[in-house]
Amino acid sequence: MLIESRFAGPPGSGNGGWSAGVFAAALDDRGPVEVTLRRPPPLETPLTVVDGEVHDPGGAVVAQVRRVEPFRAVVPPVDRATAEAASVAYPGLVDHPFPGCYVCGPENPHGLRIFPGRLPDGRTAAPFDAPDPVAPATVWAALDCPGGWAVIAPGRPYVLGRIAAVVAALPEPGDACVVTGATVGGAGRKAEVHSSLYGPTGTLLGWARATWIALPPA
């Protein structure tokens, strides 16, 4: 396995959602599979899976992958126009901890460009135009950052620690989709979030539950 540099997240490492989707494929890329990131996934580095653990060339554990019981972590949808309106106020356009992120980075012209804005009830929503090609890891990636932006705040960056996802169906390339996210709990530096991906007709394509971890102050 290899996380190509175009799938970057924080500088020098892979986007958590995309990387988790790649790692999940070692078991079942449609889920339900849970991926726990033990260290930032390295870019352009051959990785191997042994007994549910992803290792770098030096043998260090990058991630742990396991099947989990079926679950539902569905955030209610909004229509495309509402998602587009929310996206205009995406906080990451002004202050982004990782502006080159493959999923939500405004400085990555080749990324998914999912820009989640807050709704009045605290959920996030964003439009998402499915790229060509689409893979299950694309859905994992799309389900990543919309959950994180339900807790990220100026001066308070978070990174993905764990994500479990279900890919019910893949969008077609070019499909005008919507992603929603919400905070559901947490304590200390950990935040628990859910996220959901909907197709052009409102069909639920995938959902995820995730743990995000606040980085300590610099």
Side-chain angles (χ1 to χ4, degrees):
M1 296 182 296
L2 194 78
I3 306 300
E4 299 174 35
S5 58
R6 65 193 180 101
F7 300 116
S13 63
N15 168 263
W18 175 269
S19 301
V22 172
F23 301 155
L27 289 182
D28 180 350
D29 56 11
R30 298 300 181 99
V33 173
E34 181 180 84
V35 178
T36 301
L37 300 175
R38 293 302 182 189
R39 61 183 59 214
L43 298 171
E44 303 293 346
T45 303
L47 303 171
T48 57
V49 178
V50 179
D51 296 331
E53 292 185 339
V54 179
H55 295 264
D56 68 13
V61 176
V62 175
Q64 294 169 315
V65 186
R66 69 185 186 101
R67 290 188 174 89
V68 293
E69 293 296 319
F71 68 94
R72 296 276 287 183
V74 177
V75 182
V78 296
D79 58 40
R80 176 81 176 196
T82 299
E84 290 173 347
S87 186
V88 171
Y90 169 50
L93 295 174
V94 177
D95 182 8
H96 198 301
F98 314 117
C101 175
Y102 169 68
V103 175
C104 65
E107 294 181 11
N108 188 337
H110 306 296
L112 298 182
R113 301 188 69 77
I114 299 176
F115 298 155
R118 291 284 181 92
L119 299 172
D121 64 4
R123 288 180 295 156
T124 63
F128 166 49
D129 296 327
D132 187 6
V134 174
T138 310
V139 176
W140 280 74
L143 291 169
D144 177 17
C145 298
W149 280 100
V151 294
I152 295 171
R156 184 71 165 170
Y158 281 73
V159 293
L160 182 68
R162 175 178 293 148
I163 184 169
V166 175
V167 182
L170 297 179
E172 294 293 328
D175 274 357
C177 301
V178 167
V179 196
T180 53
T183 306
V184 297
R189 292 173 53 207
K190 294 183 178 180
E192 306 298 329
V193 304
H194 291 170
S195 54
S196 300
L197 173 64
Y198 296 90
T201 62
T203 301
L204 180 62
L205 301 178
W207 57 92
R209 67 185 186 209
T211 301
W212 283 68
I213 302 173
L215 297 178

